[in-house]
Amino acid sequence: MNLRCLIVDDEQAALNVLTNYISKTPFLELAGAFTDPIAALEVIYKEQIDIVFLDIHMPEISGLEWIKLLRGKSKVILTTAYSQYALDGYNLDVVDYLLKPVPFDRFLHAVQKVQDILTVKPIATPEPVPVPVAPAASSDHVFVKVDSKIMKVRFQDILYIEGLGNYVSIFTETGRLVTLSTMKEVEEYLSDTYFMRVHRSYIIAFNRVEYIEGNQIFLNKNTNVPLGETYRERFFKLLEESMMNRK
């Protein structure tokens, strides 16, 4: 299945790079490249577009505001020079974000995510089992499918888990594992003893919390995740209980 793409970026150099990458990818078809985000929206509303490569910093309208106007009509891959906007993109259900300058292998990884999401698999094909073969209640680990491997992940090694559509990223001290799953499925397999949902897109290892500042939970000095309003009361109740237990 060919995927029809739009590029929306106010920098011509960025348009040229992505246009070149799309031309080299057999299952992608370029439907248009725009420096004007409003003109791009008009195309989206009239035609079937599968993927939008979208810059965040644009003069007329920000990429994040543009996504809201998109109303879910296409899958979005953010392209930006600013990594701090990744969390905002995740909250708007983007498929991936690419940091400029975008390497070709990273570009391919992102579009393959979209391909996996949009491709309807034959009935005879068994569904992938992302986060694990269900562990026993007393288990201290899970097994996750990452690419062609099934990997053991110990609860004690996990910092947090981030949801992104039909995928989750498991972040440990040593790296990141991406597997096909939903946050709901992950919650069913994780031990409540170790983990807590703190945001629509985040589950944290509670014993990794170093401090809380505003609506940010810091797991170490370089790692923080947002605390969602829906989860705030339960989080602070558990935190209060933990403080009492240490007296």
Side-chain angles (χ1 to χ4, degrees):
M1 170 177 88
N2 280 352
L3 302 179
R4 302 189 75 233
C5 309
L6 278 189
I7 310 169
V8 186
D9 198 307
D10 64 326
E11 296 179 358
Q12 188 60 48
L15 293 180
N16 294 343
V17 169
L18 291 175
T19 297
N20 180 44
Y21 286 175
I22 290 170
S23 71
K24 295 196 296 186
T25 307
F27 60 88
L28 297 183
E29 173 188 339
L30 182 61
F34 295 87
T35 55
D36 180 352
I38 305 304
L41 270 179
E42 292 176 1
V43 173
I44 291 277
Y45 292 145
K46 294 177 182 177
E47 301 180 23
Q48 174 62 42
I49 302 297
D50 300 300
I51 308 175
V52 179
F53 296 93
L54 177 66
D55 187 24
I56 290 179
H57 277 275
M58 294 183 289
E60 294 182 10
I61 182 173
S62 76
L64 300 178
E65 289 299 322
W66 193 91
I67 292 174
K68 296 173 184 177
L69 297 174
L70 184 63
R71 298 201 293 265
K73 290 181 177 292
S74 307
K75 301 299 180 185
V76 175
I77 297 173
L78 289 179
T79 60
T80 176
Y82 304 92
S83 60
Q84 68 265 30
Y85 291 103
L87 295 181
D88 297 313
Y90 281 173
N91 292 338
L92 292 171
D93 291 329
V94 303
V95 174
D96 206 343
Y97 68 95
L98 304 176
L99 288 177
K100 297 176 181 178
V102 179
F104 184 58
D105 61 339
R106 188 68 184 82
F107 168 86
L108 278 179
H109 180 72
V111 296
Q112 284 167 352
K113 280 187 183 182
V114 178
Q115 188 180 44
D116 288 342
I117 292 169
L118 297 181
T119 299
V120 179
K121 301 187 182 301
I123 295 176
T125 302
E127 291 186 4
V129 182
V131 177
V133 183
S138 60
S139 176
D140 63 352
H141 65 273
V142 291
F143 287 95
V144 298
K145 186 174 181 182
V146 181
D147 298 325
S148 60
K149 298 177 182 178
I150 295 179
M151 302 182 67
K152 181 179 181 178
V153 182
R154 292 178 176 83
F155 289 158
Q156 66 183 23
D157 295 332
I158 298 175
L159 285 171
Y160 67 98
I161 297 166
E162 179 180 25
L164 181 59
N166 293 324
Y167 289 82
V168 296
S169 293
I170 301 172
F171 290 84
T172 69
E173 292 283 8
T174 57
R176 171 192 182 198
L177 303 174
V178 179
T179 187
L180 183 64
S181 185
T182 65
M183 292 292 277
K184 182 178 180 181
E185 290 167 341
V186 172
E187 280 190 292
E188 291 176 357
Y189 291 116
L190 291 179
S191 166
D192 289 338
T193 306
Y194 291 90
F195 299 97
M196 182 180 184
R197 185 88 171 258
V198 295
H199 187 275
R200 183 169 63 90
S201 301
Y202 292 94
I203 295 171
I204 64 167
F206 190 75
N207 65 347
R208 294 287 196 145
V209 176
E210 293 291 335
Y211 63 96
I212 301 95
E213 185 174 350
N215 67 342
Q216 296 294 315
I217 301 169
F218 287 80
L219 306 177
N220 58 45
K221 65 179 181 179
N222 296 318
T223 305
N224 59 288
V225 301
L227 174 60
E229 190 63 36
T230 304
Y231 305 89
R232 190 177 183 86
E233 182 177 351
R234 180 169 175 262
F235 173 78
F236 279 106
K237 182 178 180 181
L238 185 59
L239 186 65
E240 183 179 354
E241 291 173 357
S242 180
M243 292 169 62
M244 292 172 64
N245 288 340
R246 288 199 296 268
K247 289 182 178 179

